[in-house]
Amino acid sequence: MEKLQAALEQARRQRTESASERGPAKAALVRPLQQNVVEAWDALQPLSADPKLLQRNRVYTSLGNAHATPYDMLRTKMFQLMNANGWRRVAITSPSPGSGKTTTTANLASSFGRQVDLRSVVMDMDMRRPSLARVFGHSGTYSVFDVLEETVPFAEQALRFGKNVALSMNTKTARDPSELFLRRRTAEIIDEIENTYQPGIMLFDMPPVLSNDDTRAFLDNVDCALIVAEAEQSTIKQIDLCERELAEQTNVLGIVLNKCRFSDDSYGYGYGLN
């Protein structure tokens, strides 16, 4: 693991030294909300997720117990880095399928949800193999694809998880989502959602970078990206290639080493951020 971290850190330093600034800083993540924003949140249909189902799907952070600690630590470091840089939107992706990016997204959504003064919007952009709805036990008529195609408004499609997390999930697959992501109107819709609900953080569960071009097509809509790698499966070459491709279009927030069997009990599960 030390060799993996050293190799990635060296490659990251080389890219950081040549990287240019990307856009002006935004306001702090926690901000006061106007009455119309509060009303927009209150109008979202609440999602009643079965706690036992969440536990079976490894979503531990809604309870804030010992199993939630690694994700809570990740949440805190993400919050600090994003707040310091004025970043609000983060794409969560992986080099290849099966790394646990959706489980990480779900746990982060629930963990951020326990931050009472912070509102979060979570959107499932993995439209070829959507799984966020399965994790939360949701089955419905409309998907994120319908929101971006403007057949249904976000206010009718999204659900409110707790008091301060809006979940926009997929209950069906879509073909060629990259074409949809490249549309100018898609960027405008994302902006409209942010302006209406004024979330502190927007999480986008993206497809694996090396599987198709969907994530590349969407990256212009985010401020940074988080990579979820699978221990003993994701290779250094895959992780480095994934990080290089992301760094060409956005800021790389860090790398999570998931499914790691070896950990330091005095610290927690293994993961790292820049």
Side-chain angles (χ1 to χ4, degrees):
M1 187 181 299
E2 292 179 357
K3 292 182 179 179
L4 171 64
Q5 293 174 337
L8 292 172
E9 183 61 29
Q10 181 180 0
R12 188 180 300 118
R13 282 198 303 267
Q14 293 173 349
R15 285 190 290 276
T16 302
E17 289 172 358
S18 60
S20 58
E21 293 293 331
R22 289 185 172 90
K26 299 180 180 179
L29 301 187
V30 177
R31 48 184 174 170
L33 298 180
Q34 299 176 349
Q35 183 61 31
N36 63 315
V37 178
V38 175
E39 292 172 355
W41 277 91
D42 291 342
L44 291 175
Q45 181 179 349
L47 170 66
S48 298
D50 182 356
K52 292 183 180 179
L53 175 65
L54 293 178
Q55 290 285 303
R56 288 198 300 271
N57 290 331
R58 298 186 176 89
V59 181
Y60 304 117
T61 48
S62 60
L63 300 177
N65 56 24
H67 294 292
T69 299
Y71 291 109
D72 287 344
M73 293 168 67
L74 176 60
R75 169 209 62 192
T76 299
K77 197 159 190 179
M78 283 180 62
F79 178 88
Q80 292 171 339
L81 287 171
M82 294 179 70
N83 194 58
N85 287 281
W87 300 336
R88 201 177 303 282
R89 303 177 184 180
V90 55
I92 301 177
T93 185
S94 61
S96 55
S99 297
K101 64 179 182 58
T102 297
T103 301
T104 300
T105 301
N107 274 285
L108 285 172
S110 181
S111 185
F112 277 120
R114 296 188 356 252
Q115 195 73 28
V116 296
D117 57 352
L118 179 72
R119 283 176 165 79
S120 307
V121 169
V122 183
M123 301 185 72
D124 186 358
M125 293 297 181
D126 193 345
M127 298 183 181
R128 300 180 194 262
R129 296 180 60 182
S131 55
L132 197 61
R134 174 188 57 77
V135 170
F136 283 94
H138 170 65
S139 59
T141 304
Y142 299 111
S143 295
V144 180
F145 184 86
D146 299 305
V147 174
L148 300 183
E149 285 281 17
E150 298 185 272
T151 58
V152 62
F154 180 86
E156 294 182 17
Q157 187 269 338
L159 302 172
R160 180 167 42 80
F161 180 59
K163 295 183 178 181
N164 54 349
V165 178
L167 292 173
S168 182
M169 299 174 285
N170 292 308
T171 56
K172 57 187 176 183
T173 59
R175 293 195 307 172
D176 299 326
S178 59
E179 297 181 2
L180 182 63
F181 293 163
L182 288 170
R183 295 181 188 175
R184 178 182 299 178
R185 181 56 186 152
T186 293
E188 294 173 348
I189 292 172
I190 300 297
D191 288 342
E192 290 169 3
I193 293 171
E194 182 175 353
N195 291 334
T196 300
Y197 295 90
Q198 295 185 16
I201 287 181
M202 299 183 76
L203 305 176
F204 299 93
D205 183 10
M206 304 302 305
V209 172
L210 306 182
S211 296
N212 52 58
D213 65 332
D214 296 349
T215 298
R216 298 181 189 87
F218 189 77
L219 284 177
D220 286 345
N221 296 296
V222 301
D223 302 310
C224 57
L226 180 70
I227 301 172
V228 179
E230 184 178 2
E232 301 183 35
Q233 295 297 323
S234 301
T235 66
I236 293 178
K237 182 178 180 180
Q238 288 176 328
I239 299 172
D240 188 53
L241 179 58
C242 178
E243 188 174 12
R244 285 179 182 274
E245 296 205 13
L246 292 172
E248 290 177 357
Q249 289 183 257
T250 191
N251 301 285
V252 179
L253 185 62
I255 299 171
V256 174
L257 186 59
N258 197 30
K259 303 182 183 180
C260 183
R261 294 184 297 158
F262 307 100
S263 63
D264 183 352
D265 292 336
S266 67
Y267 179 72
Y269 294 95
Y271 62 83
L273 290 181
N274 288 340

